[in-house]
Amino acid sequence: MKPAVITPTRVVLALCLVAPFVAMLWVGSYAETDPALMGIPFFYWYQLLWVPISAVLTMIAYQLWRRDQRARRGGGTAE
C-alpha cells in the first residue's frame, strides 16, 4: 500500500467537504434579516441555499475521491 500523500486533488476534496461546515458554523456572517428574498429573511434563505450547494460539493468530492483512488491503484477501471 502506498503511503498517503497530500495532492492538489485531495486539498480540493477536503475544501469541498469543509466549506459547508464553515459556512454554517460561522453564524455571525449570516445572522441578518436583510436582504429578504420573497419575504424570507436572509438568515433562513442563506441556510436553505447551502442544502443544494452542499449536495453539489459532496458530489464533486466523491468524484475526486474516486479519481484519486483509481490513480493510486494504477489507473485501473475496477470499481
Side-chain angles (χ1 to χ4, degrees):
M1 182 155 91
K2 297 177 186 176
V5 178
I6 297 175
T7 63
T9 300
R10 290 181 181 186
V11 171
V12 172
L13 188 153
L15 289 174
C16 285
L17 294 176
V18 170
F21 288 104
V22 172
M24 291 293 90
L25 291 176
W26 187 18
V27 178
S29 69
Y30 62 92
E32 305 287 332
T33 56
D34 290 325
L37 180 67
M38 296 184 297
I40 301 171
F42 179 71
F43 180 79
Y44 294 113
W45 70 257
Y46 176 82
Q47 292 177 71
L48 289 174
L49 180 66
W50 272 97
V51 173
I53 291 171
S54 297
V56 169
L57 289 173
T58 302
M59 181 185 68
I60 291 168
Y62 176 68
Q63 294 299 325
L64 289 171
W65 179 79
R66 284 181 51 194
R67 186 174 71 173
D68 185 62
Q69 293 302 306
R70 281 194 303 267
R72 286 183 60 134
R73 285 193 304 258
T77 58
E79 302 259 341

